Amino acid sequence: MSAQTLLREARRHAGLTQRELARRTGVAQPTVARIEAGVAQPRVETLERLLAACGQTLASTMRPGAGVDRTQMRELLRLSPRQRIDLLRDDVAGLRRLEAAARR
């Protein structure tokens, strides 16, 4: 979500005008307007201060798939369907041996 959308939604949810938010945070109202219009990109500290005045916080979360090593996926996709089936059979056989050993 962009800073402009995040701030606008937080401010509206808090029932504040841009002027009231500016007064509470010490950030000039024209600056708040420029951020909400997407004309200005606030520093993280400024955005945190504005959101705090709206009763919200800025949180960081991992994006799904970020940091995933896709090397094995690419290697598998290079194989023919027949090669993938053979590889799967080998994996299944290995899992069965492991399962049998765990039962002993």
Side-chain angles (χ1 to χ4, degrees), residues 31-56:
T31 301
V32 173
R34 285 195 309 273
I35 293 169
E36 288 189 7
V39 176
Q41 289 297 318
R43 289 181 288 180
V44 172
E45 298 81 21
T46 303
L47 184 57
E48 286 176 333
R49 188 170 65 213
L50 291 165
L51 290 175
C54 297
Q56 296 191 20

Side-chain angles (χ1 to χ4, degrees), residues 8-37:
R8 185 183 312 114
E9 288 181 8
R11 180 181 59 77
R12 287 179 178 169
H13 186 264
L16 299 173
T17 64
Q18 288 181 354
R19 182 173 295 172
E20 179 62 19
L21 180 58
R23 188 188 65 70
R24 289 183 181 194
T25 60
V27 175
Q29 184 275 326
T31 301
V32 173
R34 285 195 309 273
I35 293 169
E36 288 189 7

Side-chain angles (χ1 to χ4, degrees), residues 49-94:
R49 188 170 65 213
L50 291 165
L51 290 175
C54 297
Q56 296 191 20
T57 61
L58 186 61
S60 173
T61 57
M62 292 290 292
R63 276 197 256 166
V68 173
D69 180 6
R70 292 178 169 81
T71 307
Q72 287 184 327
M73 290 181 230
R74 287 187 197 105
E75 289 173 4
L76 285 172
L77 290 172
R78 286 187 195 114
L79 299 176
S80 70
R82 176 85 247 151
Q83 290 171 315
R84 287 187 226 162
I85 290 171
D86 291 341
L87 189 59
L88 179 61
R89 280 192 184 125
D90 291 344
D91 288 346
V92 168

